[in-house]
Amino acid sequence: MPKYQFVIDIQYKSNVRDPRGEMIKRVLNDEYRIPASNLRLGKSIHLEIDAESMEEALKLVDKACEKLLVNTVTETYEVRKI
Amino acid sequence: MTRSFPKAQVVVYPGSNCDRDALWALKYVGFDAEFIGIHDHIDADLVILPGGFSYGDYLRVGAVAAREPIASEIKDFVNRGGLVIGICNGFQILIEMRLLSGALLQNSTGKFICKVVELEVSDITTPFTNYFIKGERILLPIAHGFGRYVKTDELKTNVVFRYTEDVNGSDEFIAGVSNNDKNVIGLMPHPERSIERLICSDDGLRVFLSAFNYIKLKKTQEDQKANAKVGV
Amino acid sequence: MKYIDILERKLGRKATKAEIEAFTVMWSEHCGYSHTKGYIRQLPRVGFGGNAGIVPLDDYHFIAFKVESHNHPSAVEPFNGAATGVGGIIRDILAMGARPTAVLDSLHMDKITEGIIDGISDYGNSIGVPTVGGELRISNYYKYNPLVNVMAVGIGKNEHLIPSMAKRAGQVIVIFGGATGRDGIHGASFASEDLTGEKATKLSIQVGDPFAEKMLIEAFLEMVEEGLVEGAQDLGAGGVLSATSELVAKADLGAVVHLERIALREPDMNPVEILISESQERMAVVTSPEKADRVIEIARKHLLFADIAAEVTKTGQYVAKYNGKTVIDVPAKLLEESPEESIYDYTPSKMPKFSWIKFKDIDAHEVFERYDYMVGTDTVVKPGYGPAVMRVKGSCGYSLVIHSRADLGFQDPYWAAYITLLESVRKTLAVGARPLAITDGINYADPDVEPEGLAAQMMGLKNACEFSNVPVASGNASLYNTYKGKGIPPTLVIGMIGKLEDLNVPRPKKGPVYALGFKDFELEREKILWNEIERIAKSGHFVVSMHDFSTMSTLKSELQNVGLEMKLKIPKCEPAHQLVVVFGDVETKLPKELIGYVR
């Protein structure tokens, strides 16, 4: 069975607070004088899926995200093929 | 700058939470001890970087704290031969400052672990461990999520404490290391939490007693030298 | 809005849109305690009325403590729900001028929910307050409605005790902490509803920021130490509105609030959103105008936002303005006077014959070893032995226990509440402590559907407190724990504190183990049992009081950790019993049976 490689980029939804990102942005701004803004700290997951087709692989990635990897109450995700 | 009495300072980073425990332990063994902040100057014989979650450990454990103004003060102090203990988050900060080699990663269980563990004292020639017997087994508490020690530089890794069994996945069960000059030590277990029998154990007490008497002895020797010079 | 008619009658006019939003929050069950106020008033109370209950500990210190639930948020988002639950109750303790010293949690769920444990662990560990005990009740009844009740405890110096109200007109209110966003808007009203459908999925999630909380703790205590704090209130449900109005209403004063001075995270918030946002990690401090600059300076030094948000006035009116424009203008008292639902009388009947409804026997080490239970170096008895014992350096000790009997609650809420309290007393006595007071956490299904159960539970609590001579210092009520109309068993959580003069708490030793007491329950025997527990514990013997001795895995594995092996054959007993397990041979007039040994 062919292998398909993906990156899943997980971020807090825009209306959910990201205190970790806020703190890091603040340190960058205040202590390093780097004018960073809109800093969001998320997770990225790299994985390989065994599947018959790209379509099936994508379906399985989505299932993995919905069932476990992503907290769909607070987070959104994007899947990229690599 | 000479002081006749051993003096210690505890660096309070934003988010430190074992700072008060460290101060209690230092005073318990007789140090003249105080807190300093990240913009203050070091004036002590011993500096403790305490446990906690500096800046919430939001980016990487110890990463932001290691780059605060106090960092250059600490480096100068270490170069002058000053004694530094980094406990838990303090150990993580020393590693981020590159004053100790290696890396501290998430426990192999993926979870925070709080319990009392058995350790073996591997090096009793440091100023912090001369009250122990080589190979002695002691009990100290741990409380960390990122304590898995990974060796990065064989030559610069001087192991001082080892767990007697696999606790968090550390290379060679390493729990604490020093630099080659042995004036900087970092350890994940909390000696400051075990200075009284009533609370946990009192095996940690000897870490502070060792440092206290090492400093006192050095001071006496310095005084004698100075006195000899002026021919008293 | 549920009470719109009452509101408009009291106002004597039509309510504005802003007023309706404000009163929806303030008169929600969560803020207003409409269904429970009447019952709470009947309880024997001590040190009641502030942000947390207050009891003197020794000549110099007071102890502040309270239990609070975060059930609804934890059902929707376990991690953040549980985390912010810890944060919220910690600020209640802090607001009294006490340094938070311990957290205990009572968790009811259908399996060990990783998110909840991680949330408590992540937040509690980071802020440096040890989680020293708790109870873990696993049962299918809590599948859709997990219960997360967190009890926090703090110790303060008597001269630092802070009132939860303003004193006089001319004072100012500084709000400091994290920035305000839309998080948690309508959280209070959400926590007062059934968990089905649209409401539950609507985003009302608060995300915890333990770093900000830690800075908040240190900043506030520095202000207290410098004598800058003349009154304080944490910002919880109802946000700025609830905190500032409570501070002045209690003192028959008024306030003018300037909403444009609240630091925002989301700049496009409208005035009412700023007023009712439930963003975490914020506090309101009442101070004199000349001290306000220093208060703000301390907050900013701790990387927090701060500004003078309000002035205290003598008008009695609560006025919120945004850039000079009035948003609401209502009597401050009215905001606090949430309508009261009628309470029910309950006449207790004889205790029924209970049947066993078992909770799963789990080794709690897998949970509490993820909590830092030692930070602060005051934990004398760690989790795993029963009640936690803490010390105040240079003074006495105090015991902490959190306990509930939902298994009985189902069968008879009155006797369930009664027995929960009696068992808490037994547990406290077993570590050599004397009970001081309790905090009660009411967790109930729908009081409109089953009002008698709530009445029975509250009556059971009241009568048990009077029987035991242990007053209530604080409490919390979480109602509407239902899913698709189906509710949880009445689950009364009791947090009890006790005082110890002698910190040499008995520990398990090698030797024979006995079961002492009675396999069934008769109220007349209870005080005899208490006297025996107290006497035996003081004589140095380790005593275990549990409601179900078949769930001793935690103690067993704890003993293994210290090199002891425990082999016991527990006698069968009723769900409501008067048995304790004693380590070592003791003289007693109670029935005694050898049940095993420790070696």
Side-chain angles (χ1 to χ4, degrees):
Chain A
M1 227 187 280
K3 278 189 191 302
Y4 297 91
Q5 286 190 313
F6 298 96
V7 181
I8 307 164
D9 179 29
I10 304 172
Q11 291 290 345
Y12 275 122
K13 285 180 182 169
S14 60
N15 56 346
V16 172
R17 207 186 145 194
D18 171 22
R20 287 163 177 78
E22 282 164 28
M23 196 283 296
I24 294 163
K25 174 191 159 283
R26 206 158 147 173
V27 172
L28 280 180
N29 294 167
D30 298 353
E31 294 191 26
Y32 294 84
R33 306 281 161 214
I34 295 171
S37 58
N38 282 322
L39 191 156
R40 306 282 285 179
L41 185 66
K43 286 183 207 124
S44 123
I45 298 172
H46 291 234
L47 49 65
E48 281 182 8
I49 298 265
D50 292 334
E52 295 292 355
S53 66
M54 183 66 193
E55 193 176 86
E56 193 203 330
L58 267 171
K59 248 186 214 160
L60 289 172
V61 173
D62 269 330
K63 188 177 168 192
C65 289
E66 301 284 335
K67 293 274 177 203
L68 176 72
L69 303 179
V70 180
N71 178 350
T72 52
V73 179
T74 54
E75 296 168 335
T76 59
Y77 66 95
E78 241 179 59
V79 179
R80 286 198 314 275
K81 197 188 158 302
I82 46 171
Chain B
M1 181 192 68
T2 51
R3 219 180 288 105
S4 59
F5 209 72
K7 183 178 172 190
Q9 289 175 319
V10 179
V11 182
V12 182
Y13 292 97
S16 291
N17 67 26
C18 303
D19 44 343
R20 296 162 65 247
D21 301 350
L23 194 80
W24 168 256
L26 288 167
K27 289 190 170 167
Y28 198 88
V29 298
F31 275 99
D32 172 12
E34 65 183 14
F35 292 131
I36 52 170
I38 54 172
H39 299 288
D40 291 337
H41 294 291
I42 291 175
D43 171 23
D45 305 297
L46 168 70
V47 168
I48 294 200
L49 312 192
F53 289 76
S54 51
Y55 291 91
D57 281 345
Y58 284 171
L59 178 62
R60 222 171 36 246
V61 289
V64 178
R67 289 157 181 84
E68 290 296 345
I70 191 83
S72 61
E73 285 270 327
I74 295 172
K75 282 177 186 160
D76 290 346
F77 178 69
V78 168
N79 288 338
R80 293 199 302 271
L83 302 188
V84 176
I85 311 180
I87 303 167
C88 201
N89 193 227
F91 184 15
Q92 294 162 342
I93 294 169
L94 287 174
I95 287 215
E96 276 280 343
M97 285 171 65
R98 308 264 194 275
L99 282 173
L100 292 173
S101 72
L104 286 162
L105 305 179
Q106 190 168 32
N107 296 345
S108 52
T109 57
K111 296 188 170 103
F112 192 93
I113 307 170
C114 178
K115 62 179 183 182
V116 177
V117 297
E118 192 184 58
L119 299 168
E120 189 188 280
V121 187
S122 310
D123 184 352
I124 57 162
T125 67
T126 79
F128 314 98
T129 50
N130 54 42
Y131 267 49
F132 295 97
I133 302 165
K134 187 162 170 62
E136 187 180 350
R137 296 194 161 202
I138 61 170
L139 293 176
L140 290 184
I142 56 164
H144 59 247
F146 283 73
R148 177 163 56 96
Y149 184 83
V150 176
K151 274 182 21 176
T152 52
D153 188 342
E154 193 71 41
L155 293 175
K156 285 188 189 158
T157 309
N158 177 49
V159 180
V160 183
F161 294 104
R162 276 180 219 276
Y163 306 108
T164 55
E165 58 177 15
D166 186 19
V167 166
N168 53 17
S170 293
D171 285 356
E172 298 165 18
F173 299 175
I174 293 171
V177 299
S178 79
N179 61 351
N180 284 341
D181 291 340
K182 301 190 179 180
N183 62 330
V184 181
I185 186 184
L187 72 169
M188 288 315 294
H190 288 270
E192 85 285 16
R193 289 189 187 183
S194 46
I195 55 166
E196 298 164 84
R197 273 277 167 83
L198 181 68
I199 309 287
C200 201
S201 84
D202 59 2
D203 286 340
L205 188 61
R206 281 181 284 163
V207 171
F208 299 99
L209 280 176
S210 296
F212 185 84
N213 286 292
Y214 176 89
I215 293 163
K216 236 178 133 181
L217 192 69
K218 218 169 102 184
K219 281 188 188 300
T220 317
Q221 286 166 351
E222 275 165 14
D223 283 353
Q224 281 166 353
K225 248 188 237 162
N227 288 348
K229 253 186 205 159
V230 287
V232 180
Chain C
M1 185 196 167
K2 192 174 170 189
Y3 299 118
I4 183 87
D5 295 343
I6 302 177
L7 173 62
E8 295 192 335
R9 197 171 62 239
K10 290 206 171 176
L11 284 172
R13 59 175 166 81
K14 275 256 171 254
T16 66
K17 202 170 155 261
E19 283 165 353
I20 293 175
E21 290 214 44
F23 280 89
T24 303
V25 174
M26 292 302 293
W27 288 5
S28 68
E29 189 63 42
H30 190 76
C31 285
Y33 290 83
S34 296
H35 282 87
T36 51
K37 270 203 276 203
Y39 296 119
I40 292 166
R41 211 175 294 129
Q42 295 177 341
L43 297 172
R45 289 177 290 174
V46 65
F48 209 87
N51 282 289
I54 294 296
V55 178
L57 189 65
D58 60 19
D59 290 345
Y60 310 99
H61 301 92
F62 66 88
I63 183 162
F65 70 109
K66 190 183 177 188
V67 66
E68 201 167 73
S69 63
H70 232 218
N71 303 339
H72 286 69
S74 303
V76 178
E77 216 292 275
F79 182 90
N80 282 300
T84 52
V86 176
I89 186 65
I90 289 285
R91 289 190 296 280
D92 278 315
I93 302 305
L94 187 63
M96 304 308 295
R99 177 177 279 278
T101 52
V103 163
L104 294 92
D105 38 59
S106 159
L107 306 177
H108 289 75
M109 37 204 187
D110 71 323
K111 57 179 192 310
I112 294 183
T113 311
E114 289 296 320
I116 290 177
I117 309 297
D118 280 343
I120 294 171
S121 159
D122 189 72
Y123 204 99
N125 294 347
S126 189
I127 60 174
V129 181
T131 302
V132 298
E135 57 165 4
L136 200 52
R137 303 271 190 249
I138 306 294
S139 154
N140 261 331
Y141 294 119
Y142 302 98
K143 184 164 176 157
Y144 299 105
N145 296 95
L147 303 184
V148 176
N149 285 236
V150 184
M151 170 177 167
V153 183
I155 301 289
K157 290 183 190 150
N158 287 343
E159 67 268 28
H160 290 162
L161 180 62
I162 305 292
S164 307
M165 58 198 263
K167 246 187 231 129
R168 55 187 151 72
Q171 284 178 309
V172 293
I173 302 177
V174 176
I175 290 187
F176 74 97
T180 300
R182 281 197 183 84
D183 31 26
I185 285 194
H186 294 309
S189 31
F190 160 70
S192 314
E193 282 168 33
D194 183 277
L195 268 184
T196 323
E198 186 207 352
K199 276 277 158 57
T201 50
K202 194 174 118 187
L203 209 68
S204 173
I205 300 211
Q206 300 141 314
V207 178
D209 182 354
F211 176 61
E213 179 94 348
K214 171 66 180 160
M215 299 314 282
L216 190 87
I217 294 173
E218 298 308 328
F220 184 78
L221 291 174
E222 194 172 325
M223 294 170 197
V224 170
E225 198 72 46
E226 289 190 17
L228 304 170
V229 184
E230 295 166 8
Q233 177 88 38
D234 73 302
L235 273 70
V240 172
L241 171 65
S242 175
T244 49
S245 66
E246 273 180 40
L247 279 170
V248 294
K250 277 184 191 160
D252 293 318
L253 294 162
V256 178
V257 184
H258 306 278
L259 294 170
E260 73 281 359
R261 296 190 195 160
I262 308 287
L264 299 185
R265 202 173 55 246
E266 298 173 66
D268 59 337
M269 288 171 72
N270 70 44
V272 176
E273 285 177 328
I274 300 171
L275 191 62
I276 63 173
S277 157
E278 296 180 8
S279 286
Q280 298 284 304
E281 292 95 21
R282 298 180 299 163
M283 299 273 289
V285 161
V286 182
T287 190
S288 300
E290 68 276 12
K291 294 179 189 162
D293 281 349
R294 180 64 187 146
V295 167
I296 293 169
E297 189 181 304
I298 291 173
R300 293 192 178 150
K301 187 179 84 184
H302 287 88
L303 311 174
L304 301 166
F305 297 99
D307 207 341
I308 298 175
E311 290 101 33
V312 179
T313 64
K314 56 174 190 256
T315 62
Q317 284 294 109
Y318 184 83
V319 184
K321 292 184 172 181
Y322 186 75
N323 286 331
K325 223 178 126 209
T326 299
V327 180
I328 63 166
D329 183 351
V330 292
K333 277 265 177 214
L334 190 58
L335 286 160
E336 304 306 303
E337 286 166 357
S338 61
E340 214 171 307
E341 298 284 340
S342 47
I343 60 169
Y344 287 74
D345 256 344
Y346 179 80
T347 317
S349 47
K350 207 171 146 279
M351 197 179 91
K353 182 164 170 56
F354 287 112
S355 33
W356 273 110
I357 299 172
K358 293 266 183 180
F359 294 112
K360 205 173 153 194
D361 181 22
I362 28 175
D363 179 355
H365 282 79
E366 63 167 304
V367 171
F368 69 67
E369 286 190 343
R370 284 152 71 180
Y371 305 148
D372 188 343
Y373 52 78
M374 292 184 275
V375 60
T377 59
D378 288 325
T379 312
V380 178
V381 176
K382 65 178 284 268
Y385 291 96
V389 175
M390 306 284 296
R391 66 152 176 203
V392 178
K393 288 187 178 87
S395 176
C396 60
Y398 54 101
S399 68
L400 304 167
V401 65
I402 193 161
H403 183 52
S404 64
R405 285 302 300 268
D407 58 327
L408 304 186
F410 235 138
Q411 307 177 54
D412 187 325
Y414 174 86
W415 282 104
Y418 210 117
I419 284 169
T420 310
L421 189 90
L422 301 187
E423 288 180 344
S424 302
V425 173
R426 292 179 207 165
K427 285 169 187 279
T428 301
L429 294 171
V431 291
R434 185 170 49 80
L436 285 180
I438 63 154
T439 177
D440 66 293
I442 300 161
N443 300 273
Y444 197 75
D446 193 332
D448 303 320
V449 176
E450 283 177 83
E452 315 79 30
L454 185 60
Q457 180 178 285
M458 296 309 289
M459 179 69 77
L461 177 64
K462 172 182 177 278
N463 290 354
C465 285
E466 283 166 359
F467 173 86
S468 313
N469 202 17
V470 178
V472 181
S474 57
N476 174 256
S478 166
L479 307 181
Y480 302 101
N481 290 286
T482 54
Y483 180 81
K484 295 192 171 153
K486 203 168 149 0
I488 55 153
T491 308
L492 178 71
V493 174
I494 287 180
M496 182 177 283
I497 54 162
K499 180 179 174 178
L500 290 92
E501 298 293 350
D502 181 1
L503 284 170
N504 284 308
V505 183
R507 308 274 181 167
K509 292 183 196 98
K510 285 180 189 172
V513 179
Y514 295 87
L516 244 72
F518 310 93
K519 291 169 190 172
D520 56 355
F521 179 87
E522 279 174 32
L523 191 55
E524 309 75 69
R525 293 191 304 230
E526 186 66 22
K527 288 192 178 162
I528 302 167
L529 179 68
W530 289 358
N531 286 336
E532 284 301 279
I533 295 175
E534 189 174 8
R535 191 180 58 78
I536 293 166
K538 293 226 161 114
S539 74
H541 291 278
F542 183 66
V543 183
V544 181
S545 165
M546 285 178 82
H547 80 278
D548 181 1
F549 289 106
S550 70
T551 58
M552 289 179 91
S553 295
T554 305
L555 181 63
K556 203 171 169 181
S557 94
E558 182 56 34
L559 291 181
Q560 257 164 18
N561 287 346
V562 295
L564 297 173
E565 188 198 9
M566 177 173 84
K567 274 242 153 64
L568 302 183
K569 195 172 176 320
I570 299 295
K572 282 212 158 44
C573 60
E574 297 289 318
H577 61 74
Q578 287 170 314
L579 270 190
V580 292
V581 168
V582 175
F583 289 57
D585 199 0
V586 291
E587 295 264 331
T588 177
K589 53 196 167 193
L590 295 175
K592 184 170 101 173
E593 187 183 334
L594 181 67
I595 56 165
Y597 54 84
V598 170
R599 62 178 176 202

